[in-house]
Amino acid sequence: MTSRFAQIAPHLERQAIELPSWAFGNSGTRFRVFGTPGTPRDPFEKIADAAQVHAHTGLAPSVALHIPWDKVDDYAALRTHAESLGVALGTINSNTFQDEEYKFGSLAASDPAARQRAIDHHFECIDIMHETGSRDLKIWLADGTNYPGQDDMRRRQDALAESLATIYERIGDDQRLVLEYKFFEPAFYHTDVPDWGTAYAQVAALGDRAMVCLDTGHHAPGTNIEFIVMQLQRLGKLGSFDFNSRFYADDDLIVGAADPFQLFRIMVEVVRGGGYDEGSDVGFMLDQCHNIEEKIPGQIRSVLNVQEMTARALLIDREALNAAQRANDVLTANGILMDAFYTDVRPDLAAWRESRGLPADPMAAYAASGYRDRIVAERVGGTQAGWGA
């Protein structure tokens, strides 16, 4: 392990990336959901699979739940199950985009009955948070319109603000409301929370415990995502990340698959803004679906990609970079950044993992563990979890 890497290791030790329960269920395209042998049939099995990722990487100590996909009769039992496997239950994600009543919107809908149904659903999610010990209630809305004139956009923003305020009043003192935005889809004319500015405006009106979630796939092409990261950290409103990749739109593929350099640039701003400092409350989570690759290895690869780019970002000579920037030495400043990006940190990471009792190669260790063969043999019968379950 190099001496420079040893200096950044304390920051890496604080790295924790939450896994989404839905990544372990079946997923697919708009045309078909594909099945895989050994897919979990309930939230208990999803958490067991997620625990494998943490056991092999040491990077994923919590699992986010999606309600109602992960509803159970006994959340205390689910929490105990998770803790027995070495992980915790994390963010509770609401779902107001699959019920018939939400056809024309939920928290921003013109219909008061639809809004109240959506508010009541979030109250249920908050009750679940009390049982699971979760800090964050994450809200992503499919609300919007498809045609000009279909609805009054300003009235919908007012309705959204009122709905969010009602939900915010219910969260506990140790909990947060985190609002996620998305450029488009499924609404195509306008989306009610389409960008970080709208999300910021809504949460800023609520209070200190309302934050913004940045999904790395939820932007228009060419958007400088790292600028948004900087700005939200600067404003104290970057609550969490949903890490994934995008080639053309929101594809939810393995983070870093399309543009590793973008992931590096994002992590540069996270580090610059104190996202990995002691006491930082920025949450890091994956939001991915694996429809052609194996799910557990897909999540292992994802957290390793984030870890690698974080290590590279931490290796930047900040003193030299700052001096070059202040001197307007364009090429030197860019060169310092690129030198860090091109540094191969994989040997140091492998040695560091071994020093902490983890496999040097988590992908190979999982493949050799026999876990996949066991769940394929054991999980016969029942209904596999997938979109909507």
Side-chain angles (χ1 to χ4, degrees):
M1 189 187 308
T2 62
S3 59
R4 179 65 180 133
F5 185 89
Q7 292 176 8
I8 70 169
H11 291 277
L12 291 175
E13 288 174 2
R14 291 194 285 269
Q15 188 164 45
I17 305 166
E18 192 163 281
L19 303 183
S21 68
W22 54 95
F24 300 95
N26 290 326
S27 63
T29 68
R30 290 190 299 115
F31 306 105
R32 179 173 175 79
V33 173
F34 303 101
T36 303
T39 294
R41 297 162 296 181
D42 58 45
F44 289 87
E45 292 180 346
K46 290 179 185 178
I47 290 170
D49 288 1
Q52 285 292 306
V53 179
H54 186 53
H56 287 90
T57 67
L59 285 168
S62 61
V63 186
L65 301 182
H66 207 296
I67 306 300
W69 297 350
D70 293 319
K71 288 187 73 168
V72 295
D73 294 331
D74 189 342
Y75 289 98
L78 187 66
R79 182 177 182 176
T80 299
H81 171 69
E83 292 171 351
S84 73
L85 295 171
V87 295
L89 300 182
T91 303
I92 300 298
N93 294 259
S94 62
N95 181 320
T96 58
F97 50 86
Q98 289 189 309
D99 291 357
E100 184 68 25
E101 289 84 352
Y102 301 138
K103 182 175 182 178
F104 298 107
S106 59
L107 293 180
S110 295
D111 179 7
R115 290 202 306 275
Q116 188 59 54
R117 179 183 175 90
I119 290 169
D120 290 342
H121 169 65
H122 286 89
F123 287 169
E124 177 190 15
C125 288
I126 293 169
D127 290 341
I128 292 170
M129 292 169 69
H130 293 316
E131 296 187 62
T132 58
S134 302
R135 179 187 67 171
D136 290 347
L137 169 65
K138 187 188 295 177
I139 301 174
W140 173 76
L141 302 172
D143 293 27
T145 62
N146 280 354
Y147 299 100
Q150 176 183 328
D151 203 350
D152 187 294
M153 291 187 288
R154 178 164 177 166
R155 184 169 60 234
R156 292 177 70 94
Q157 284 295 304
D158 291 341
L160 174 60
E162 183 179 343
S163 298
L164 290 174
T166 303
I167 296 166
Y168 184 74
E169 290 176 359
R170 182 71 71 95
I171 65 171
D173 292 340
D174 58 346
Q175 295 172 339
R176 307 190 307 178
L177 182 156
V178 184
L179 181 62
E180 185 175 351
Y181 59 90
K182 188 174 184 180
F183 176 50
F184 80 106
E185 190 190 41
F188 290 101
Y189 171 61
H190 104 276
T191 303
D192 286 302
V193 189
D195 50 41
W196 74 270
T198 302
Y200 173 77
Q202 288 284 354
V203 302
L206 297 177
D208 293 340
R209 290 174 290 117
M211 311 292 281
V212 176
C213 172
L214 187 156
D215 185 304
T216 52
H218 283 190
H219 303 85
T223 299
N224 188 323
I225 298 175
E226 56 269 31
F227 176 86
I228 302 171
V229 173
M230 174 279 298
Q231 192 68 278
L232 287 173
Q233 284 195 156
R234 174 177 169 270
L235 296 168
K237 284 296 185 182
L238 181 60
S240 62
F241 281 91
D242 278 3
F243 283 122
N244 49 41
S245 186
R246 54 163 293 161
F247 285 89
Y248 299 102
D250 182 34
D251 53 34
D252 280 349
L253 297 180
I254 288 174
V255 59
D259 189 350
F261 186 45
Q262 181 190 74
L263 177 58
F264 167 75
R265 300 192 314 264
I266 289 170
M267 300 317 299
V268 168
E269 291 304 325
V270 169
V271 172
R272 165 67 176 85
Y276 279 109
D277 289 353
E278 191 93 42
S280 170
D281 61 358
V282 178
F284 301 90
M285 196 186 95
L286 302 181
D287 180 12
Q288 300 176 185
C289 297
H290 304 284
N291 55 31
I292 57 174
E293 67 270 24
E294 291 285 335
K295 298 166 180 57
I296 297 173
Q299 292 284 281
I300 291 174
R301 171 58 61 205
S302 297
V303 297
L304 293 179
N305 285 352
V306 177
Q307 183 186 52
E308 182 177 336
M309 292 305 164
T310 304
R312 293 187 188 190
L314 287 165
L315 285 173
I316 293 173
D317 187 336
R318 288 284 172 178
E319 186 175 335
L321 179 61
N322 185 56
Q325 290 171 340
R326 290 186 176 277
N328 291 321
D329 189 342
V330 175
L331 294 180
T332 297
N334 178 251
I336 291 168
L337 202 75
M338 298 309 295
D339 285 344
F341 174 66
Y342 284 118
T343 301
D344 187 358
V345 297
R346 291 173 297 178
D348 279 334
L349 283 171
W352 182 62
R353 289 188 198 103
E354 285 191 309
S355 73
R356 302 170 68 218
L358 294 165
D361 185 345
M363 293 286 285
Y366 171 73
S369 70
Y371 183 83
R372 180 187 182 279
D373 291 339
R374 178 161 64 84
I375 62 175
V376 169
E378 291 178 353
R379 295 175 183 173
V380 178
T383 301
Q384 293 187 335
W387 287 353

